[in-house]
Amino acid sequence: MNAKSLKNITIPDSVKSIGENVFYNCTNLTNIEVNEKNKSYSSINGNLYNKDKTELIQYTIGKTDTSLTIPDSVTSIGDYAFCNCASLTSVAIGNGVTSIENYAFEDCKSLTSITIPSSVKEIGEYAFGYYYYEKYKVENFTITGYSGTEAENYANANGFKFISLGEAPTTESASTTPTESSSATTPSESTNPTESVTSTEPYESSSSTAPSESASVTEPSATTNPTENTTATEPTETTPAKTTVTLKKPSATVYVKGTAQIKATVKNGKGKTTYKTSNKKVAKVNSSGKVTGVKKGTATITVTNNGASKKFKVTVKNPKLNKSKLTLKKGKSFKLSIKGKVGKVKFTSSNKKVATVSKKGNIKAKKKGKATITVKTNGIKLKCKITVR
């Protein structure tokens, strides 16, 4: 973080986890190379991805490229992935992307517009259109997308101009019944309902030329057979409508002790809809689908009704400070804020003679030296190291 002289990083195969936003403000970073044997991460064109390349974790913001195309294989653009990238003026988001996480394009001042495909179902806080710790909006920022999608929702919620591409495209599957249509065109089979059901041999139609068989059709005794009459007019048994479960959103990101509501629609359901978490230590869920973050990690909530089910992915994150290191001149101030706070927050200074902090997180530099501001929230401690010059 803030290593402005850093240009290249090599990640060995032993690395299993990389913290959030660790490359923040590394403005000269142009290449991240990951060892091929690493089981958690990979790299493409110097940018950091997860192992299967479905999540773009970090774009190296020291590059001078003005445009970028995100491939369709990517499903998620991670937190702060492009944060503070000064060069990009155009980003083409692939149709495979379903989520754009918090602060993904924050502080990208040259990016004044973006087109979002209908595949995107989740857009995080301050994902784009903001700079300087979400305090300011990019002037005339414009979002282009399909009406009624998350793109329009984000634009409306944040007061950005929205250009509609029309209704989101849908895929309709055509169905044909060649077997039924062919049987209707066989005259010989139409006079004998029993044969038309049980026989598919084309040569059976020749049996209609036998005089004895054609005469039997007009015999009164054949039409008065109650058993045959019942069989011919018996209605086909209908199959009960299938239960389906659909989710308004397939995933959510919450912070520790934060909540998210699963919005499920059940058609032709029976009984109660149940919600079950794959990991109670990470996220718990109540009987109405309200999810609560417990600790950092991922969990899957399975929504079930009458044998039909859908899975809802939950990512739980720890709260974070807008600054973990800070240098101030004597007499200057800085507002320390927390992303993901839930409930009460307590700020303390390790050396009030060097720097003080108010109940609202306002830091004031007193004299030259070093101090640590400790923030307690959600049962988690966060620290910001202060240097006063």
Side-chain angles (χ1 to χ4, degrees):
M1 184 180 286
N2 290 317
K4 295 185 178 181
S5 62
L6 187 64
K7 294 183 179 181
N8 297 282
I9 294 176
T10 299
I11 299 174
D13 59 355
S14 59
V15 173
K16 296 180 180 180
S17 178
I18 298 175
E20 296 176 0
N21 203 22
V22 295
F23 302 108
Y24 175 76
N25 214 26
C26 296
T27 52
N28 287 306
L29 182 62
T30 58
N31 184 60
I32 299 175
E33 184 177 345
V34 181
N35 188 294
E36 292 182 357
K37 295 181 180 179
N38 190 293
K39 296 182 180 180
S40 300
Y41 300 100
S42 62
S43 59
I44 302 176
N45 297 328
N47 301 317
L48 182 64
Y49 290 77
N50 62 348
K51 185 61 178 178
D52 60 5
K53 299 179 177 62
T54 57
E55 180 183 6
L56 200 169
I57 298 172
Q58 181 64 55
Y59 177 80
T60 43
I61 64 174
K63 293 179 179 179
T64 57
D65 298 343
T66 58
S67 63
L68 175 73
T69 298
I70 298 174
D72 290 346
S73 59
V74 173
T75 60
S76 176
I77 301 173
D79 290 303
Y80 297 93
F82 292 84
C83 184
N84 205 23
C85 180
S87 62
L88 285 176
T89 60
S90 173
V91 176
I93 299 175
N95 290 322
V97 174
T98 59
S99 66
I100 302 172
E101 302 296 341
N102 302 320
Y103 296 83
F105 293 90
E106 199 261 347
D107 223 1
C108 297
K109 295 180 185 178
S110 299
L111 190 66
T112 58
S113 64
I114 197 163
T115 299
I116 304 174
S118 59
S119 61
V120 175
K121 306 301 181 185
E122 180 182 359
I123 300 176
E125 294 180 322
Y126 307 107
F128 29 69
Y130 290 89
Y131 64 97
Y132 195 69
Y133 307 115
E134 79 264 2
K135 288 184 179 180
Y136 305 105
K137 290 183 178 180
V138 175
E139 187 174 359
N140 298 321
F141 189 79
T142 303
I143 296 174
T144 301
Y146 292 95
S147 298
T149 63
E150 192 64 17
E152 184 178 22
N153 293 339
Y154 182 88
N156 292 339
N158 292 274
F160 294 131
K161 181 180 178 181
F162 179 73
I163 298 175
S164 175
L165 296 173
E167 295 298 320
T170 57
T171 302
E172 294 183 0
S173 57
S175 60
T176 58
T177 54
T179 303
E180 292 181 1
S181 61
S182 61
S183 64
T185 59
T186 309
S188 60
E189 291 182 357
S190 64
T191 60
N192 193 327
T194 304
E195 288 183 4
S196 66
V197 174
T198 60
S199 176
T200 57
E201 290 286 334
Y203 294 102
E204 286 187 0
S205 60
S206 62
S207 64
S208 62
T209 59
S212 59
E213 288 184 8
S214 61
S216 65
V217 174
T218 58
E219 285 181 2
S221 58
T223 58
T224 57
N225 190 326
T227 304
E228 291 183 1
N229 229 5
T230 304
T231 304
T233 59
E234 185 178 355
T236 304
E237 184 179 351
T238 58
T239 304
K242 186 178 180 180
T243 299
T244 60
V245 178
T246 56
L247 304 179
K248 186 175 182 180
K249 290 185 177 182
S251 61
T253 298
V254 299
Y255 290 88
V256 174
K257 293 189 179 177
T259 61
Q261 179 65 48
I262 300 176
K263 295 182 179 179
T265 300
V266 178
K267 291 185 178 181
N268 305 312
K270 184 178 180 180
K272 290 184 178 181
T273 299
T274 61
Y275 302 84
K276 185 177 181 180
T277 179
S278 64
N279 193 338
K280 293 180 180 179
K281 294 181 179 180
V282 172
K284 58 184 181 180
V285 61
N286 66 10
S287 59
S288 62
K290 184 179 180 180
V291 180
T292 303
V294 178
K295 75 172 186 178
K296 183 179 178 181
T298 58
T300 300
I301 309 298
T302 303
V303 186
T304 305
N305 185 293
N306 195 29
S309 65
K310 282 288 182 180
K311 295 186 182 297
F312 183 86
K313 181 182 177 182
V314 181
T315 302
V316 182
K317 297 182 177 182
N318 287 332
K320 62 172 62 178
L321 299 174
N322 57 344
K323 284 286 186 179
S324 61
K325 291 182 180 179
L326 185 64
T327 299
L328 294 172
K329 290 183 178 180
K330 180 181 176 180
K332 296 295 183 179
S333 299
F334 181 82
K335 169 71 172 178
L336 199 62
S337 62
I338 306 173
K339 179 185 175 185
K341 65 179 180 180
V342 178
K344 294 182 179 181
V345 180
K346 184 179 180 180
F347 297 88
T348 57
S349 172
S350 64
N351 193 337
K352 294 181 180 179
K353 293 181 180 180
V354 173
T356 59
V357 61
S358 70
K359 292 181 180 180
K360 294 184 178 181
N362 292 310
I363 300 171
K364 187 170 183 180
K366 292 290 189 178
K367 73 172 187 178
K368 290 183 179 181
K370 294 184 177 182
T372 299
I373 305 299
T374 300
V375 184
K376 293 181 180 179
T377 180
N378 303 356
I380 295 171
K381 287 184 180 181
L382 304 172
K383 292 185 178 182
C384 178
K385 295 181 179 179
I386 309 294
T387 299
V388 180
R389 294 179 179 175

